[in-house]
């Protein structure tokens, strides 16, 4: 359990599919957030502050995974989810 990692509750495997029951991320993918232009563009200082905020969360989550001996092999905005608490 880590505040920057979506909780995996259950994995269900059928003959044809694998289903993962995860914590709900209400605000979707980080990629969509970036592409929709929702990052603040009022000034470079605000963009840098927001980028720092997200980068710190990503690093904290990866650091936690690495401390458990887990490596995430596909780190990209499409694989990062935003919950209701996103800025």
């Amino acid at each position: 359990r880590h505040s920057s990692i979506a909780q995996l509750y259950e994995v269900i495997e059928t003959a044809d599919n694998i289903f993962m029951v995860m914590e709900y991320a209400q605000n979707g993918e980080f990629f969509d957030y970036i592409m929709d232009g929702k990052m603040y563009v009022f000034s470079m200082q605000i963009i840098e502050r927001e980028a720092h905020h997200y980068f710190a969360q990503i690093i904290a989550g990866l650091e936690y995974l690495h401390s458990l001996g887990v490596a995430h092999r596909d780190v990209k905005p499409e694989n990062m989810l935003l919950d209701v608490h996103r800025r």
Side-chain angles (χ1 to χ4, degrees):
R1 295 190 183 273
H2 190 275
S3 63
S4 295
I5 300 174
Q7 182 69 37
L8 176 65
Y9 296 116
E10 187 174 359
V11 177
I12 302 167
E13 186 174 352
T14 68
D16 300 319
N17 296 297
I18 297 175
F19 299 94
M20 297 172 28
V21 181
M22 299 175 56
E23 177 181 359
Y24 180 58
Q26 179 176 329
N27 289 311
E29 294 178 5
F30 186 49
F31 179 80
D32 293 332
Y33 180 69
I34 294 168
M35 295 308 292
D36 289 344
K38 293 178 182 171
M39 289 191 75
Y40 296 113
V41 293
F42 301 112
S43 74
M44 187 57 86
Q45 183 180 16
I46 294 173
I47 292 171
E48 289 177 15
R49 193 174 325 137
E50 185 176 17
H52 179 269
H53 169 78
Y54 286 115
F55 187 72
Q57 290 182 55
I58 294 164
I59 294 302
L62 289 173
E63 182 178 50
Y64 176 73
L65 289 175
H66 290 176
S67 75
L68 298 175
V70 175
H72 191 303
R73 295 177 34 179
D74 199 17
V75 177
K76 59 186 179 184
E78 293 91 330
N79 292 337
M80 296 177 197
L81 301 173
L82 298 170
D83 65 10
V84 70
H85 302 292
R86 78 144 199 244
R87 241 212 261 221

